Amino acid sequence: MSEISKEYDFKQVEERWVDTWDESIYYFDWNSHAPQYIIDTPPPYPTGNFHIGNALNWCYIDFVARYKRMRGYNVMFPQGWDCHGLPTEVKVEEIHKITKNEVPREEFRRLCEELTAQNIAKMRVTMRRLGFSNDWSNEYVTMMPEYYSKTQRSFVRMFEKGMIYREDHPVNWCPRCGTAIAFAEVEYDSRTTTLNYLRFGSPLGDLEIATSRPELLAACVAVAVHPEDEKNRKYIGTEVKVPVFDYNVPVIADEVVDPTFGTGVVMICTFGDKQDVRWWVEHDLPLRQAIDRSGRMTEIAGKFAGLKISECKDAIIEEMKSKGVIYKEEPLDQNVGLCWRCKTAIEILSERQWFVKINPGEIIDTSAEIEWVPEHMEIRLKNWTGTMDWDWCISRQRIFATPIPVWYCKNCGEPLVAKEEWLPLDPNVSLPPVPCPNCGSEEFEPETDVLDTWMDSSISVLNVTGWLSDHKPRYPAQLRPQGHDIIRTWAFYTILRAKALVGTRPWDSILINGMVLGEDGHKMSKSLNNFIAPEEVMAKYGADAFRQWAAVGGSPGSDVMFRWKDVISGGRFLQKLWSMYRFSAPHAVKSDDAAPNQVDRWLLFELSTMIEAVTDSMDRFQFDEAFRAIRSFAWDVLADNYIELVKSRLYGPDGPEKRAAQSTIYAAIEALTSLLAPFTPFIAEEIRENLSGESVHTSSWPRPFGVNPQPEGCLIKEVAAAVRRYKSDRGMALNTPLAEIEVYSDLDLETTDLTGSTSSPVVVKRGSPEIETRAVEVKPQMKAIGPVFKNLSGEIIRTLTTMDPEDVARQRDSGKIKVKVGGETVELGPEAVEIATETLSAGKAVEMISLAGAIVLIRTGS
Ligand SMILES: [Zn+2]
Ligand SMILES: [Zn+2]
């Protein structure tokens, strides 16, 4: 064996393993009959940076994947890339200094693909460096035809089942991104705005209305009041005149109106918010769209047409003020819907879009078949599902996304949805192979809208389980790990799509992980300057230390604070393990004729108990619990106790007793490396490879050794520890020989390892020791004597110290101590003295240590 370095060189070890590992050991076997464990890994957006939140989630997934593999499962830990979307389009425009409309659609898409491929390559490097056991034979990239043909086929199938339709319908619109977005992509934030009080003309006298959106006056289609509103109900059924634009709108009654807000009168516009949409539908109101797709005012805004929303707002307010229409203004806190990508305030526009039907009951029922970890996270899905009053808008007005495989007949306008066998295709590039089924025309317009990227990622689980592949499908998958921020999107849509397309739940379990918070307790972000990149942590302490932070930082579902402290202690543990291995290496030898003694059996029992506990924690995804149990065994039980106890046997003469210690150390290190393999795959591999020449990552999860509880070995360990403490309290070197150690216990203790580890003769006796205590020193207590005897105190104290300690002790026990001072006798209470004693056994002074189950007498000198 080559020299083992004293310091653990994580960099050298980790980088060497990254280069030498054979990744094919992590491939899923489609032909195996072993129980499957398929993980629906989140496909990250290829930004080029695998950030710390990803890294935390992947640590959890890797812990599970490695554990399940060692338990004999046929594991798939695939890796996908969710490529499409706006950020890449924006980045391409930036890099090439173009706008997407300046180059042909195909060319722009090609540039996006090129950038995405580069970013994926960068992120793969970080993932490998972090030691993740991904199955790269099951990698998928949503922008590639192999994948997006499945997205398109899923669209066609759901269309044919009547689950997808196209309709004019209000949608959330981001004017900056220039696209429709789904409700799940709207974030709410409170902003302070102004509530404007204005007058609408009426023959019954002006009607007073309060609104925060005067720029929507041109979109006003009605005014609503509560039917019981004393002051305003006389207007119900009449018409009032919209100021500035001078047209009439009806006044309607609706119970939803809050008579205490503003003036109690509401202006209904198409559309200011979701409530406007409800009223518009319920009261069958006309549509007046005042804002266009780019966030500018339309023709119906008259002289304001072409202005941006905010410019129009200022201009209208100014005009109404100058005409006295606005008579009051006050600040108003409002919840505003924002685009989740760019934080621009969304508008609600009526647009012809594609929609997926939502069946909330079916989603809730399917979710109930899934095990949620932690359980309480399911309520988020239920709450969200309960708020759905619109279907899922799936069309987007972008380029870099899966094309919607549809054309429109130029002659009759009928849509032609592609047949599955024509896919994949881009209707902007190819024509349908058949004429219009309606009119026979061969002239078509392509659908230029594309699909929401959640349409791609919501079939990730079907893709990895072999849907539409040459393999026999294996859905449902066993596990979906994901963040709680995308329950209402990714989890929701996946459940919907799996049920719609294959009629089953997508997974058996869903494991929700938290967000990573910075050391200051805030969500990590570049702007808060609390941002840490995994690469920075790895460079300083290595991937195994980083992974320990993930393991101990928290349990699934809770947010996890990044703490350097955890990483540093992770690094310290690696060094401790390495030192222990370095000591053990020459002694760790498997043996057939070993005769394990009480101490060996105790170690094997402790090891077995720990294995059972860790297995149970792993089955419940409680990684912090599992890792802490392993670490505490390695550090406290094995290194600090067992190895100290058996050192003398290891260095002693050859024989079955020595070989038992060697064999036990071998078994312990073998099991320990297996248990550590999911958490710290690099050091586990390095030690295991050196120990046995095999890879820990193809080994099985350790089993308990079937050893009964070992009270004798446990007590021996306690006695040895007590003697160690005794020596260190007195500043003695740990190998200092003591004259003799007597252990009184009802257990039949072996003495070899006690003698060896204490460097002293050890005698074990039954029963209790015969001991006596003797008073050896009187310690007068000034605080009890002083206040009573004042200036006599000095004399009393001097006298007490000259008296026979045994005599003083006897008097104290009787309750009074008599002291002669200056011819007089004074009486002291028992609190006036403390008496130091010594313990005697067979007439000689000993130190006595009481332990649970034993009394230890230590003789220091002859
Ligand atoms: Zn946006
Ligand atoms: Zn036609």
Side-chain angles (χ1 to χ4, degrees):
M1 188 178 295
S2 60
E3 184 80 9
I4 301 171
S5 66
K6 202 166 173 188
E7 300 292 322
Y8 178 59
D9 185 350
F10 69 83
K11 190 169 187 295
Q12 186 270 114
V13 170
E14 293 184 357
E15 285 174 1
R16 174 161 41 78
W17 283 117
V18 168
D19 290 342
T20 38
W21 267 330
D22 170 13
E23 288 174 339
S24 71
I25 62 173
Y26 305 132
Y27 290 176
F28 181 76
D29 182 355
W30 286 97
N31 301 315
S32 165
H33 294 292
Q36 71 174 36
Y37 198 86
I38 298 183
I39 300 169
D40 181 18
T41 320
Y45 194 76
T47 56
N49 293 311
F50 191 77
H51 64 75
I52 198 156
N54 294 138
L56 176 75
N57 204 1
W58 263 248
C59 282
Y60 288 170
I61 303 170
D62 198 44
F63 299 159
V64 177
R66 290 184 180 277
Y67 168 67
K68 291 288 180 184
R69 246 181 245 122
M70 294 174 82
R71 288 296 301 273
Y73 286 86
N74 182 22
V75 172
M76 188 199 293
F77 175 8
Q79 188 53 57
W81 303 96
D82 186 15
C83 309
H84 291 132
L86 181 73
T88 300
E89 290 189 3
V90 172
K91 201 81 198 164
V92 162
E93 290 180 326
E94 243 175 67
I95 294 172
H96 299 279
K97 300 190 172 52
I98 49 169
T99 66
K100 67 179 195 291
N101 300 318
E102 288 169 5
V103 289
R105 241 181 124 91
E106 268 313 279
E107 173 64 6
F108 189 75
R109 192 181 155 94
R110 198 191 58 75
L111 293 172
C112 289
E113 285 173 358
E114 190 182 271
L115 174 66
T116 303
Q118 290 163 6
N119 285 344
I120 289 175
K122 281 191 217 161
M123 292 169 80
R124 279 198 201 107
V125 170
T126 307
M127 295 169 77
R128 286 200 162 93
R129 185 62 189 78
L130 278 162
F132 300 138
S133 60
N134 286 99
D135 173 356
W136 294 105
S137 71
N138 279 294
E139 188 181 17
Y140 62 89
V141 183
T142 61
M143 69 180 180
M144 301 305 280
E146 305 85 73
Y147 191 94
Y148 80 69
S149 71
K150 292 186 186 179
T151 306
Q152 289 187 323
R153 288 176 73 180
S154 73
F155 173 91
V156 171
R157 285 193 184 185
M158 286 177 68
F159 176 80
E160 285 170 356
K161 289 182 181 181
M163 295 165 145
I164 286 181
Y165 62 93
R166 183 169 180 254
E167 196 176 87
D168 275 322
H169 192 280
V171 290
N172 293 297
W173 188 274
C174 173
R176 201 206 75 87
C177 299
T179 183
I181 59 176
F183 255 115
E185 293 166 324
V186 178
E187 282 180 0
Y188 289 87
D189 196 14
S190 61
R191 291 192 175 174
T192 303
T193 168
T194 304
L195 189 61
N196 304 277
Y197 288 78
L198 31 133
R199 296 189 177 96
F200 276 45
S202 164
L204 303 174
D206 285 351
L207 177 63
E208 295 172 345
I209 290 184
T211 177
S212 62
R213 302 214 52 193
E215 70 276 21
L216 287 177
L217 267 182
C220 179
V221 290
V223 162
V225 299
H226 193 278
E228 258 114 72
D229 181 340
E230 289 290 334
K231 185 174 154 231
N232 293 311
R233 68 179 172 196
K234 64 179 180 202
Y235 293 95
I236 294 169
T238 68
E239 292 202 329
V240 290
K241 183 168 278 183
V242 178
V244 183
F245 297 96
D246 288 337
Y247 65 97
N248 287 341
V249 293
V251 180
I252 58 174
D254 198 298
E255 306 228 323
V256 179
V257 178
D258 175 3
T260 64
F261 178 78
T263 63
V265 185
V266 175
M267 175 171 112
I268 301 177
C269 305
T270 51
F271 300 96
D273 59 19
K274 226 170 147 181
Q275 185 54 44
D276 280 345
V277 178
R278 289 192 200 110
W279 279 324
W280 177 69
V281 173
E282 278 164 28
H283 297 282
D284 197 19
L285 297 166
L287 181 73
R288 285 178 68 92
Q289 194 140 311
I291 294 169
D292 73 8
R293 292 175 156 213
S294 60
R296 289 181 184 274
M297 305 312 291
T298 63
E299 291 306 313
I300 67 160
K303 60 185 166 190
F304 305 105
L307 293 184
K308 286 187 191 163
I309 299 169
S310 58
E311 294 166 350
C312 172
K313 185 171 189 166
D314 293 344
I316 283 189
I317 288 176
E318 201 185 300
E319 178 167 338
M320 288 195 290
K321 276 184 178 168
S322 71
K323 290 185 175 166
V325 178
I326 291 183
Y327 65 94
K328 187 169 128 187
E329 288 177 309
E330 64 188 26
L332 174 70
D333 287 328
Q334 214 178 20
N335 244 355
V336 180
L338 307 176
C339 165
W340 81 317
R341 288 226 186 265
C342 72
K343 315 295 177 206
T344 301
I346 53 123
E347 293 297 335
I348 297 177
L349 304 184
S350 182
E351 287 282 332
R352 175 159 285 201
Q353 302 285 345
W354 291 92
F355 293 89
V356 165
K357 279 188 189 162
I358 289 176
N359 178 346
E362 190 173 79
I363 293 190
I364 286 177
D365 290 349
T366 309
S367 163
E369 294 174 29
I370 298 165
E371 177 203 21
W372 286 74
V373 183
E375 216 180 313
H376 65 84
M377 283 291 172
E378 189 184 8
I379 194 71
R380 299 204 186 188
L381 183 92
K382 285 183 175 166
N383 287 347
W384 173 247
T385 308
T387 65
M388 310 292 307
D389 38 16
W390 297 355
D391 283 336
W392 172 18
C393 173
I394 54 165
S395 42
R396 297 289 182 274
Q397 292 67 47
R398 310 296 318 171
I399 292 177
F400 187 43
T402 298
I404 298 178
V406 172
W407 302 263
Y408 302 96
C409 174
K410 270 190 184 167
N411 183 43
C412 72
E414 276 297 296
L416 172 57
V417 175
K419 297 285 163 218
E420 272 194 64
E421 52 276 21
W422 305 347
L423 301 173
L425 62 79
D426 182 348
N428 296 283
V429 177
S430 50
L431 281 170
V434 295
C436 171
N438 192 39
C439 73
S441 165
E442 294 184 9
E443 304 255 299
F444 293 93
E445 287 285 355
E447 171 62 271
T448 54
D449 284 1
V450 291
L451 288 173
D452 179 3
T453 53
W454 295 114
M455 279 291 278
D456 298 335
S457 58
S458 57
I459 58 163
S460 63
V461 67
L462 298 182
N463 180 60
V464 300
T465 50
W467 183 64
L468 303 181
S469 78
D470 299 337
H471 304 295
K472 191 169 170 286
R474 283 172 174 259
Y475 41 74
Q478 278 53 60
L479 184 69
R480 152 66 68 87
Q482 66 160 72
H484 59 61
D485 55 331
I486 49 174
I487 289 175
R488 65 187 200 177
T489 46
W490 197 36
F492 179 90
Y493 294 142
T494 303
I495 293 172
L496 185 160
R497 300 264 276 152
K499 198 70 189 170
L501 291 162
V502 300
T504 170
R505 66 177 180 275
W507 344 273
D508 296 334
S509 304
I510 179 166
L511 174 64
I512 305 293
N513 74 299
M515 304 286 110
V516 177
L517 307 177
E519 292 211 90
D520 56 4
H522 293 289
K523 197 175 166 184
M524 259 194 199
S525 80
K526 285 203 169 115
S527 58
L528 285 174
N529 212 18
N530 62 353
F531 190 84
I532 307 275
E535 287 84 355
E536 184 190 344
V537 183
M538 281 194 290
K540 287 184 180 155
Y541 299 97
D544 279 346
F546 179 87
R547 295 170 63 110
Q548 289 178 64
W549 158 71
V552 301
S555 52
S558 53
D559 287 345
V560 179
M561 200 183 291
F562 177 80
R563 289 188 298 204
W564 280 108
K565 166 169 136 269
D566 288 342
V567 179
I568 292 166
S569 81
R572 218 176 283 138
F573 178 59
L574 295 177
Q575 181 58 46
K576 177 82 183 180
L577 267 180
W578 189 248
S579 303
M580 180 175 68
Y581 168 66
R582 183 169 177 270
F583 167 81
S584 311
H587 308 292
V589 186
K590 252 183 178 167
S591 172
D592 293 332
D593 67 339
N597 72 9
Q598 291 172 341
V599 171
D600 303 324
R601 290 199 302 272
W602 163 73
L603 193 273
L604 293 176
F605 171 73
E606 290 292 318
L607 179 56
S608 301
T609 311
M610 187 268 291
I611 291 171
E612 280 166 6
V614 170
T615 306
D616 175 59
S617 301
M618 293 303 277
D619 285 336
R620 291 181 291 110
F621 307 110
Q622 298 301 313
F623 310 120
D624 54 337
E625 227 175 71
F627 184 75
R628 284 175 206 275
I630 300 168
R631 187 174 61 185
S632 131
F633 174 86
W635 201 304
D636 306 332
V637 181
L638 184 60
D640 288 356
N641 281 300
Y642 180 76
I643 289 181
E644 289 304 320
L645 274 168
V646 303
K647 265 184 184 165
S648 64
R649 262 194 288 156
L650 295 175
Y651 290 116
D654 197 16
E657 282 212 308
K658 171 173 179 164
R659 286 198 291 276
Q662 291 178 324
S663 202
T664 306
I665 286 194
Y666 186 95
I669 292 180
E670 188 180 50
L672 203 51
T673 49
S674 294
L675 295 165
L676 283 169
F679 296 104
T680 53
F682 293 101
I683 196 168
E685 182 78 323
E686 182 73 5
I687 294 179
R688 183 63 161 267
E689 164 82 14
N690 284 336
L691 181 77
S692 67
E694 61 182 355
S695 169
V696 75
H697 300 302
T698 51
S699 72
S700 298
W701 189 249
R703 290 169 177 283
F705 292 80
V707 184
N708 295 327
Q710 299 290 317
E712 293 86 1
C714 184
L715 190 55
I716 292 171
K717 177 219 41 166
E718 292 297 335
V719 172
V723 175
R724 267 205 306 280
R725 271 196 306 277
Y726 170 87
K727 288 180 176 175
S728 86
D729 286 350
R730 283 156 185 77
M732 298 159 79
L734 293 184
N735 59 0
T736 309
L738 303 167
E740 190 184 58
I741 297 171
E742 281 177 20
V743 182
Y744 288 83
S745 167
D746 292 334
L747 295 175
D748 204 1
L749 305 182
E750 297 168 358
T751 54
T752 321
D753 292 333
L754 269 180
T755 306
S757 66
T758 59
S759 317
S760 315
V762 176
V763 184
V764 177
K765 295 180 174 169
R766 292 259 162 192
S768 317
E770 280 190 22
I771 48 166
E772 45 181 322
T773 48
R774 187 171 68 190
V776 290
E777 191 193 348
V778 177
K779 296 176 174 174
Q781 301 297 296
M782 183 60 187
K783 62 178 185 294
I785 302 168
V788 183
F789 297 98
K790 310 259 159 34
N791 46 14
L792 260 185
S793 305
E795 187 62 23
I796 292 175
I797 287 168
R798 264 192 304 281
T799 313
L800 273 172
T801 54
T802 63
M803 292 166 69
D804 172 19
E806 282 285 303
D807 177 42
V808 178
R810 259 192 310 276
Q811 292 198 56
R812 179 199 59 179
D813 294 347
S814 74
K816 279 183 216 151
I817 305 165
K818 291 180 180 168
V819 183
K820 280 191 183 127
V821 242
E824 257 187 83
T825 300
V826 298
E827 280 188 7
L828 309 177
E831 69 287 349
V833 294
E834 274 185 8
I835 309 232
T837 59
E838 69 177 13
T839 306
L840 297 176
S841 171
K844 287 182 178 164
V846 293
E847 286 290 338
M848 184 172 84
I849 304 167
S850 290
L851 299 171
I855 293 173
V856 181
L857 299 185
I858 295 176
R859 256 183 242 289
T860 48
S862 48

